[in-house]
Amino acid sequence: MDFTAVLKIASVIIVSLGGAGAIIVALTNFIANKIAKRLEDKYQLKLDKELEKYKATLERRTYVTKNQFDLELETYRKITRGVFEFTVALNTTIEKKDYPRNEGKSPDKKIEEESYIYHKMIIKASNLQELLYANAAFIPKQL
């Protein structure tokens, strides 16, 4: 075998291995890209599911918070109305300008009128107390 024959055989082997190597590198690159894409899609799906779950939780909290706010606002309106009604009843019971009441009337009429005003105030106070007890869960302790 002469040197040129050896050179031809070596070049054929190098070219054939180089072609196969290029094919192997290309095939490996293609498979690696496919696997990476699948893993990325799988991870993205997991993240999307978690994001949707979080959004749903936030929407529920917002809905509950809005409903709770509306309920508490209505409760405070009722309590405020009860306090004002009681205050009005109390003020009409103890105003100085009304005493002595009905001086010209008989003592029985005076007692009856005073008793009516007093009972009206007691009913308002009772209504306010029931309203406060019914809505005690919404009233903070720091009052």
Side-chain angles (χ1 to χ4, degrees):
M1 255 178 129
D2 63 341
F3 184 69
T4 57
V6 172
L7 194 57
K8 284 183 183 180
I9 292 174
S11 65
V12 168
I13 291 173
I14 291 173
V15 169
S16 68
L17 285 179
I23 293 172
I24 290 172
V25 168
L27 186 61
T28 305
N29 192 17
F30 177 74
I31 291 173
N33 285 341
K34 283 286 193 182
I35 292 172
K37 180 70 173 153
R38 284 186 184 169
L39 287 175
E40 182 183 351
D41 290 346
K42 196 177 197 181
Y43 187 68
Q44 186 64 38
L45 181 65
K46 180 182 174 185
L47 288 177
D48 288 344
K49 284 182 181 179
E50 288 180 12
L51 181 63
E52 288 302 319
K53 185 190 285 187
Y54 182 70
K55 283 181 182 178
T57 303
L58 283 179
E59 285 180 20
R60 250 186 316 220
R61 285 183 183 167
T62 302
Y63 179 72
V64 168
T65 304
K66 183 182 180 316
N67 281 349
Q68 184 177 1
F69 174 78
D70 291 343
L71 185 61
E72 287 181 7
L73 183 63
E74 184 59 32
T75 300
Y76 286 126
R77 284 180 179 165
K78 288 178 186 176
I79 291 171
T80 303
R81 183 173 44 243
V83 167
F84 284 128
E85 287 176 358
F86 172 71
T87 305
V88 167
L90 182 63
N91 285 338
T92 58
T93 304
I94 60 171
E95 283 185 0
K96 285 184 178 179
K97 68 176 185 161
D98 294 333
Y99 284 96
R101 290 185 194 263
N102 303 321
E103 280 188 29
K105 292 187 179 178
S106 68
D108 290 339
K109 290 277 187 185
K110 285 180 169 179
I111 291 173
E112 185 180 319
E113 186 178 348
E114 294 292 328
S115 177
Y116 170 75
I117 293 171
Y118 176 75
H119 286 299
K120 189 170 88 173
M121 183 191 68
I122 294 298
I123 289 171
K124 297 290 183 182
S126 175
N127 290 343
L128 177 60
Q129 186 177 15
E130 287 175 13
L131 195 59
L132 288 172
Y133 284 148
N135 297 295
F138 294 108
I139 301 172
K141 288 183 177 181
Q142 296 89 0
L143 290 180

